[in-house]
Amino acid sequence: DSSPRSFTIPSSLFGSGYDSLSSQEKSLLQYFIDAIGPTCICFPTPPSTNLSINTSNDTLTSSHSKANPYLHLIVPLAFQSQVVMDALIAASAHQLFILGNSKYEQLSDSYSERTIEQLSNTLRQKQRSQCTDWDDFLAAVLMLCFKEISSNRDYRSCLLYTSPSPRDMRRS
């Protein structure tokens, strides 16, 4: 089924979340939605997965019902969590830096640092309150990993993140 599918974000979250973004942050969010998210492949889907923000009726709309998790989980979560929004903006800015736009390097680093600080605070808060909802924490970590892995042009260096260490292998 390829009919459009809408994800409604409560006006209170969408309005304050989107309206409080700077024009540069809005641009980086849109870049993630238009350029980065659709190219992230988690599982096979048709190539025509599009997501758009409609500020007049507070919806995110997709052109395909099989949701790309980067677009359909991370983006809506970013409107509910500053740490996820900052991590998403860091990843978007970093991608533009990798593509040759050096003005985004400092911005990406700044948002990454903010995200790491927020993750530390979030971790302590969630542990103290014995929280069971870690979606925002995990999404922010995922986006920081996404940024880091995309920095490594040599695919073998990415294997370091996914391969067990020799010490871990001896334990098994």
Side-chain angles (χ1 to χ4, degrees), residues 1 8 12 19 25 29 32 35 45 54 57 59-60 66 95 100 103 122 126 128-129 144 154 158 163 168-169:
D1 174 45
T8 302
S12 59
D19 293 341
E25 290 168 330
L29 172 63
F32 183 85
T45 61
N54 184 338
N57 65 2
T59 59
L60 291 173
K66 288 189 178 181
Q95 184 69 27
K103 77 176 189 175
T122 301
K126 287 183 182 290
R128 267 195 306 263
S129 67
L144 288 178
D154 179 358
C158 293
S163 299
D168 292 336
M169 292 178 74

Side-chain angles (χ1 to χ4, degrees), residues 67-122:
N68 173 326
Y70 283 95
L71 294 175
H72 301 277
L73 297 175
I74 304 288
V75 172
L77 191 54
F79 285 103
Q80 300 172 39
S81 169
Q82 189 63 49
V83 68
V84 177
M85 184 64 79
D86 287 349
L88 187 148
I89 289 170
S92 292
H94 189 70
Q95 184 69 27
L96 289 169
F97 165 67
I98 288 172
L99 293 174
N101 195 332
S102 61
K103 77 176 189 175
Y104 287 103
E105 181 179 25
Q106 174 62 34
L107 184 68
S108 175
D109 290 345
S110 173
Y111 276 91
S112 294
E113 289 170 14
R114 281 175 48 174
T115 301
I116 291 168
E117 287 174 18
Q118 290 175 67
L119 282 171
S120 178
N121 295 333
T122 301

